[in-house]
Amino acid sequence: MSFELSIDWPEFLATYWQKKPVVIRQAFRDFQDPISPDELAGLAMENEVDSRLVSQNAKGWQVAHGPFTDFDQLEESHWSLLVQAVNHWHPAAAELMHPFRVLSDWRMDDLMVSFSVPNGGVGPHLDQYDVFIIQGAGKRHWRVGNNDVIAQHSPHPDLLQVAPFEAIIDEILEPGDLVYIPPGFPHEGYSLENSLNYSVGFRAPSAKELLSGFADYVLAHELGSRRYQDADLRLRDNASTVLTDEVETLRKMMISLLHSQDFTPWIGEFLSQSRHELDIAPPEPAYQEDEVRSAVEEGTPLHRIGGLKVLQLAEHTFINGEILSSADSNFLSLLANSTIITPTQLQPFTENPVLLAQLTGLINAGYWYFAEEQDDA
């Protein structure tokens, strides 16, 4: 299943991206849901999958976290089932991410899918990341406000909402319609009937996350061991005084780490890691190199597992938080830019024993799989 998205990307980036929200009617023409409500409910029963059930009743807002065992006690209205990173677990749904790859793989986070009954929603809220919300089956009423300063509150410990706001978008979305919402714009969506929604979210790391991640890397690799020095130490009137230039020297010691050659491999490792668990299932028994070569010769395409990030930065290629080294840049580019690799593309590399061994290792790590494995699952 493939999806064609009707967006003029240069115009969209210039006019809307991180500037203002917009509804795009029939962004996906003749839209067909890649996943059913029953399949989504099945994912929410799995331990590895992050899911939650948000409902509202006379007692207020309620939030329950998966995995769930059943949904028999649910009412006919006022609840939503939300499942994160569906693209990691459902190949057909993962296809919805492909049209957005033009905006960069490292910025893309995951595909959240929600099933809502009439009046189901999570209440008015705002996000700190860009999101494209695609309407699947059913209809949903969306309101989006301006990015004014709005007070947030928690009607439930696991739910953060905002106060009522004046809408600048007030629309009913039907299958194939899309609403784009930049960070900081309050919004709320309520289903008018049983409906599916697909939210393509974009990663936006905070300075706190970056600093914490880099600090962990520095400690793990025993970097930054150079100590403070002050060969030009000056006397001061009071022993308690810390001089401004001393503070600046300490600051420069920290900044020098960010400008060191170690920063690039760390940022590549950091950005290529997924926030959600991947569906990594190493083949059993493991492939032998001749078996990989035979599969390619037989015309079997190679698929990348959903959600796996393969990023290229400077002269490095990163896969799921690790540097992948190879003497063949074309081989690395093929891995990075193709989620499905055809036998024709692979065949020249399987003739190279070194690259064949490397490819076999990646398949045995569970990062790529031959297409028939999916059919047998």
Side-chain angles (χ1 to χ4, degrees), residues 112-155:
M112 184 189 75
V113 182
S114 64
F115 173 74
S116 303
V117 295
N119 293 310
V122 299
H125 65 285
L126 55 82
D127 299 312
Q128 299 301 330
Y129 52 83
D130 300 89
V131 63
F132 294 85
I133 305 175
I134 304 156
Q135 182 64 44
K139 297 179 181 179
R140 195 175 182 97
H141 182 191
W142 280 100
R143 298 179 68 253
V144 185
N146 216 331
N147 60 340
D148 302 320
V149 177
I150 297 180
Q152 298 188 72
H153 64 279
S154 295

Side-chain angles (χ1 to χ4, degrees), residues 181-235:
I181 306 172
F185 284 75
H187 52 280
E188 61 177 336
Y190 290 97
S191 286
L192 302 180
E193 55 194 35
N194 289 358
S195 65
L196 283 164
N197 282 88
Y198 305 85
S199 300
V200 180
F202 283 74
R203 185 179 187 179
S206 67
K208 179 173 65 176
E209 292 173 308
L210 293 171
L211 185 59
S212 174
F214 188 55
D216 290 341
Y217 182 88
V218 168
L219 292 173
H221 292 79
E222 298 184 353
L223 305 175
S225 58
R226 182 175 70 84
R227 291 187 174 275
Y228 176 81
Q229 295 179 332
D230 50 5
D232 55 351
L233 178 64
R234 305 197 313 271
L235 297 177

Side-chain angles (χ1 to χ4, degrees), residues 276-288:
H276 300 279
E277 188 165 346
L278 296 168
D279 186 14
I280 298 175
E284 296 181 1
Y287 275 91
Q288 301 299 312

Side-chain angles (χ1 to χ4, degrees), residues 7 18 46 103 152 176 193 198 264 278 316 323 330 368:
I7 286 185
Q18 297 202 341
E46 300 292 335
L103 299 179
Q152 298 188 72
E193 55 194 35
Y198 305 85
T264 296
L278 296 168
H316 303 295
I323 294 180
N330 291 326
W368 274 265

Side-chain angles (χ1 to χ4, degrees), residues 53-64:
L53 189 65
V54 180
S55 59
Q56 187 182 25
N57 55 32
K59 296 180 180 180
W61 289 92
Q62 306 295 323
V63 180

